[in-house]
Amino acid sequence: MSERNTYRIGIDVGGTFTKAVLINNATFEVAGRYSVMTTHSDPRGVAKGVIEVFRNVLERSRVDPGDVVFLAHSTTQATNALLEGDVAPVGIVGMANRVEAVLARGQSSIKEIELAPGRFLRPMHRFITTEKLTEELVRETLYALRDEGTQVVVASGAFSVDDQSAEEMVMRVASEMGLAVTGGHEITKLYGLTTRTRTAVINASILPKMIGTANMTEAAVREAGIAAPLMIMRGDGGVMNVQEMRRRPVVTMLSGPAASVAGALMYLRVSDGIYFEVGGTSTNIGVIRNGRPTIKHARVGGHDTYVNSLDVRVIGIAGGSMVRLRGNEVFDVGPRSAHIAGLHYAAFARPEEIVDPRLELFRPKDGDPDDYVAIRSANGERYAITNTCAANVQGYAKPGWHAHGNAESARKAMAPLAQRLGVSVEETARRILEKASGKVIPVVEDLVREYALDRDQAVLVGEGGGAAALIPFVAERMKLDFSISQDAEVISSIGVALALVRETVERVIPNVMPDDLQRIKREAFDAVVRLGAAPENVEVTIEVDPQTQRVRATAMGASEMRAQDMRKEVSEDEAREIAARSMGLSPETLRLAAATDQVRVFQGQVEERKWRIFSSRRAPVRAVDREGVIRVQRSDGVVAVATAQTGLAEMRRLWEEVTIYNGDSVITPDMFVIAGRRVVDLSGVSALEQALAIGRSELEGLAPEAPVALITVQGARGL
């Protein structure tokens, strides 16, 4: 008798639609999908839409709720609550000893935060010196804040990163009084009282609304018979359990873009590239590097926070962006879209619906310029001319992609515009795409520079329903490779279903020592296990910033109800083919430079000429795991073979060999240590002893003869 199938559900709550996908847990194939309009205005908020889609996707796919082993959703609620000013009044209790009180009083008193034009968060503030701190005084202080209207309390003490006792007392008393409460130390362990307090205030302001939504959603999930833990998408590309969301809802900001990145990482197995989530009105652009999205601290109302979120650039150009005309020239494309104007795309009309089209200029919304283009058919129906229409005319939107429409309809609609411009329909379409891509290309170039991406490896990954309307043309102009995601229109929901549990621990550690790195690594490991990750597959990466003395440990792992491998194990020849295709070389020219029982490292040789005179050689490297996923890719590198017993000595030798001494400066290498299936990225570590400390922790416990692969890249030449 065959085993019953089990399933994962991923739900992406977008600005317009809430989409659910049902994924077979053995094959990772999409077994069902369903969408509804996002329920922003419902009394139950977005929870209503979440409940509706997961119930419907189960019923329509005829799947028993008991067969669901993983359920997760992204949420726009935190972001929307802040943008709309739908926040709870917050009262701050600042604390410090007498010596620190003068500075701490001002630093813990947060000025108003403009969440959106005309919408402000204005925290109330009280201050207590810790020498006078008693439960009675705390209670009196909280009563006073509550009388002023406080609904949620923030406990924020100077240096609570090191000693949380004062904050914990305030939190305990507030809970006894029935007040929701956030402690600064719960949000971050970084120094900086002002930013730490501000982040806690933002978290506290959305706490009641987010807890209400979480309770409602979880109750509906249990009522439906789903026993799997309810997970929530974070803004940094991971998921956390619903209990953690009740404590730190602020980390769900930007979880929508994060969901699409998770899809690219887990479903498409992207290792390095620039991803685009192209919707109808706007496009999110970011970077995946070393198999991880790039992360930075989010800003709210123009203020820094300690909330980790994706480094996403949002631009007002997408699949539905409409053409603007001034004189006889295409003046612009966007930012208004056909969706905003309430018009259908011409490319999605039937050819017989577009009869004797006439050009019209109009305002999509009051206050907009009246230079947006529409065409009116003889039957009175109006259609928009969009990027998607232009991509269909030019043949970039291929069959099978979500943006593929009817090229004949698009040509008929575009004919009056072409006549106005005095050029062919095809040239009109090209001008539209050139104008639109002109907004995208500078953003991509900035990301290539900022993250020092090798252009040979800067693959453009298109996601979202409008991906084919922009990405192929942008890639052609930039001479870069591209791919459009399978199931691009629901890739965000897929990403939610497949996302890893993630947690980041940050500390400011002056003169960081190897023992410090071991401690923060262990803390990140323990934290992600508490959030639901299976200990045996957790990987931790360390970054050390010598300028700010900030150390960041990021732990990621699959949930306890772990999915089976997405692909069968690949052979050596198949892995070689994958590596060769990535390098743009013939498979027979690659050599197997190193291997563990789970990862193979291939290396090639490339000779390049400059000005037809000078030549140089480089040795590109690809580490391919047994599932066929490229775990490390570098345009040039040194590969060495070691064992667990000799690994540290070989690390030291390679580090010293590749380090560049240039006058007063020292350029340390990027290094990767591969043991079993673990790929330890040491590219954020700038000191040899720190690298050796991390390497030691990875190699301890392995059999002395266990194979280890080392990849080293000179800092000046690396990706």
Side-chain angles (χ1 to χ4, degrees):
M1 182 177 176
S2 62
E3 295 183 5
R4 293 180 65 180
N5 285 328
T6 56
Y7 298 89
R8 303 165 75 90
I9 295 177
I11 302 170
D12 177 52
V13 184
T16 304
F17 292 102
T18 295
K19 300 178 181 179
V21 295
L22 185 73
I23 294 181
N24 186 297
N25 201 36
T27 65
F28 278 40
E29 294 176 349
V30 175
R33 61 185 77 191
Y34 190 78
S35 67
V36 299
M37 298 294 288
T38 299
T39 52
H40 294 295
S41 58
D42 191 273
R44 289 168 288 179
V46 297
K48 179 180 182 296
V50 171
I51 294 165
E52 185 177 348
V53 290
F54 88 70
R55 286 180 180 274
N56 272 280
V57 80
L58 286 174
E59 291 174 5
R60 289 168 180 255
S61 305
R62 297 182 180 177
V63 168
D64 189 289
D67 292 333
V68 176
V69 296
F70 183 90
L71 172 65
H73 72 84
S74 70
T75 176
T76 60
Q77 193 161 21
T79 304
N80 289 344
L82 293 171
L83 290 176
E84 295 166 10
D86 187 12
V87 293
V90 178
I92 304 167
V93 178
M95 293 163 286
N97 62 35
R98 290 192 186 94
V99 175
E100 299 154 353
V102 174
L103 282 176
R105 184 185 298 272
Q107 291 175 351
S108 63
S109 178
I110 302 301
K111 308 305 180 188
E112 64 181 23
I113 302 171
E114 186 173 15
L115 303 174
R119 299 180 185 273
F120 295 89
L121 175 59
R122 296 184 173 94
M124 293 155 270
H125 181 254
R126 292 289 188 280
F127 190 83
I128 303 174
T129 56
T130 51
E131 288 83 357
K132 296 181 179 180
L133 191 66
T134 63
E135 289 194 12
E136 182 179 359
L137 180 56
V138 169
R139 194 168 283 106
E140 290 176 5
T141 303
L142 293 177
Y143 276 131
L145 285 170
R146 191 172 67 179
D147 290 344
E148 289 184 32
T150 289
Q151 294 178 10
V152 191
V153 173
V154 166
S156 187
F159 299 104
S160 63
V161 170
D162 304 316
D163 181 0
Q164 296 90 46
S165 58
E167 288 187 1
E168 288 172 345
M169 177 189 287
V170 173
M171 293 173 68
R172 184 176 65 255
V173 174
S175 297
E176 291 170 357
M177 294 173 58
L179 289 167
V181 62
T182 291
H185 72 277
E186 292 185 300
I187 305 301
T188 179
K189 298 298 177 64
L190 289 176
Y191 295 111
L193 182 57
T194 299
T195 306
R196 192 166 66 247
T197 306
R198 182 187 298 121
T199 308
V201 165
I202 293 168
N203 185 76
S205 72
I206 59 176
L207 207 55
K209 176 176 283 291
M210 297 295 283
I211 288 175
T213 298
N215 291 344
M216 188 182 310
T217 307
E218 187 175 37
V221 167
R222 300 296 169 247
E223 184 182 332
I226 296 175
L230 175 62
M231 309 294 283
I232 313 297
M233 197 78 199
R234 296 161 51 119
D236 60 7
V239 291
M240 61 184 178
N241 58 32
V242 71
Q243 290 80 12
E244 186 66 13
M245 197 274 267
R246 291 187 179 101
R247 191 171 71 96
R248 293 190 297 165
V250 70
V251 302
T252 67
M253 287 195 307
L254 293 178
S255 67
S260 64
V261 178
L265 291 171
M266 297 297 293
Y267 196 57
L268 307 174
R269 299 305 181 97
V270 174
S271 176
D272 291 78
I274 298 174
Y275 64 86
F276 296 73
E277 185 187 23
V278 186
T281 303
S282 62
T283 296
N284 300 315
I285 307 176
V287 170
I288 295 171
R289 191 165 182 243
N290 299 331
R292 302 194 305 274
T294 52
I295 304 292
K296 68 191 310 184
H297 287 150
R299 289 175 63 84
V300 176
H303 300 286
D304 291 330
T305 72
Y306 283 146
V307 178
N308 286 319
S309 67
L310 299 185
D311 182 7
V312 174
R313 315 295 164 87
V314 182
I315 57 174
I317 195 76
S321 299
M322 295 186 296
V323 175
R324 296 171 64 186
L325 182 68
R326 290 190 184 175
N328 295 326
E329 296 293 334
V330 173
F331 167 72
D332 201 357
V333 180
R336 292 299 194 194
S337 68
H339 306 270
I340 299 296
L343 299 180
H344 297 295
Y345 296 25
F348 295 144
R350 295 193 305 273
E352 58 269 24
E353 293 175 332
I354 301 179
V355 179
D356 297 328
R358 292 183 292 105
L359 191 69
E360 292 186 355
L361 299 181
F362 75 109
R363 288 188 175 90
K365 294 288 184 183
D366 290 342
D368 287 344
D370 61 354
D371 55 9
Y372 283 88
V373 171
I375 64 104
R376 188 180 294 276
S377 183
N379 62 5
E381 191 72 30
R382 288 200 311 166
Y383 297 91
I385 296 176
T386 66
N387 284 325
T388 298
C389 303
N392 276 276
V393 168
Q394 283 287 334
Y396 291 106
K398 305 295 185 184
W401 290 344
H402 194 70
H404 180 256
N406 192 300
E408 183 183 350
S409 298
R411 285 192 183 94
K412 289 180 70 175
M414 209 172 288
L417 177 60
Q419 186 176 7
R420 174 75 171 265
L421 300 179
V423 297
S424 68
V425 169
E426 286 71 21
E427 176 60 23
T428 300
R430 176 162 290 277
R431 290 186 184 184
I432 292 169
L433 293 174
E434 285 176 347
K435 187 67 70 172
S437 63
K439 297 183 177 181
V440 177
I441 291 172
V443 178
V444 177
E445 295 285 9
D446 285 345
L447 289 170
V448 169
R449 283 191 295 271
E450 183 173 341
Y451 289 102
L453 297 178
D454 188 323
R455 293 185 71 90
D456 292 341
Q457 301 172 47
V459 177
L460 307 185
V461 181
E463 305 165 6
L470 281 180
I471 307 309
F473 189 79
V474 169
E476 181 181 284
R477 286 191 67 184
M478 298 188 71
K479 296 180 172 58
L480 297 174
D481 290 335
F482 78 94
S483 66
I484 302 295
S485 301
Q486 179 184 352
D487 297 310
E489 69 277 11
V490 290
I491 194 69
S492 294
S493 300
I494 293 171
V496 176
L498 302 181
L500 297 175
V501 184
R502 178 185 177 111
E503 183 60 291
T504 299
V505 176
E506 292 181 297
R507 294 281 187 280
V508 175
I509 307 176
N511 303 315
V512 61
M513 302 298 290
D515 287 348
D516 297 321
L517 296 176
Q518 293 280 23
R519 277 194 295 272
I520 193 170
K521 180 183 176 184
R522 187 70 211 185
E523 185 177 349
F525 179 93
D526 291 343
V528 81
V529 170
R530 284 196 303 272
L531 295 182
E536 66 272 13
N537 61 72
V538 172
E539 295 185 6
V540 184
T541 59
I542 301 285
E543 299 171 80
V544 181
D545 187 335
Q547 273 73 43
T548 62
Q549 300 180 325
R550 183 174 295 174
V551 181
R552 173 186 291 168
T554 301
M556 292 187 291
S559 65
E560 288 285 359
M561 294 192 177
R562 189 181 177 193
Q564 298 178 26
D565 290 340
M566 289 177 60
R567 299 178 177 148
K568 65 179 183 179
E569 187 172 299
V570 298
S571 67
E572 181 178 326
D573 286 344
E574 289 171 325
R576 185 187 303 274
E577 177 66 35
I578 291 168
R581 188 164 56 247
S582 172
M583 295 180 194
L585 301 174
S586 299
E588 60 271 14
T589 65
L590 270 58
R591 70 182 182 93
L592 182 63
T596 70
D597 60 337
Q598 292 293 321
V599 179
R600 300 180 180 97
V601 181
F602 295 94
Q603 192 157 34
Q605 289 289 332
V606 175
E607 184 169 338
E608 297 174 325
R609 290 189 174 275
K610 294 183 178 180
W611 303 298
R612 300 183 181 180
I613 301 173
F614 304 104
S615 65
S616 62
R617 290 187 177 183
R618 59 182 177 87
V621 179
R622 300 293 187 269
V624 183
D625 70 17
R626 295 287 169 157
E627 298 169 19
V629 180
I630 297 176
R631 303 291 300 279
V632 179
Q633 63 178 27
R634 285 294 185 269
S635 61
D636 194 14
V638 177
V639 180
V641 177
T643 64
Q645 187 173 39
T646 63
L648 293 179
E650 189 65 11
M651 282 179 65
R652 181 182 293 276
R653 184 190 70 78
L654 277 175
W655 186 285
E656 292 173 346
E657 178 182 303
V658 180
T659 296
I660 299 172
Y661 297 91
N662 185 11
D664 294 333
S665 65
V666 178
I667 303 174
T668 56
D670 291 346
M671 181 175 283
F672 298 86
V673 180
I674 304 173
R677 70 180 298 274
R678 291 179 181 269
V679 178
V680 185
D681 181 0
L682 299 176
S683 56
V685 178
S686 59
L688 173 59
E689 293 307 315
Q690 295 170 357
L692 291 173
I694 298 171
R696 185 178 295 110
S697 69
E698 295 296 335
L699 301 180
E700 284 176 349
L702 297 178
E705 67 280 4
V708 173
L710 302 173
I711 301 173
T712 312
V713 183
Q714 283 188 349
R717 294 185 296 164
L719 172 65

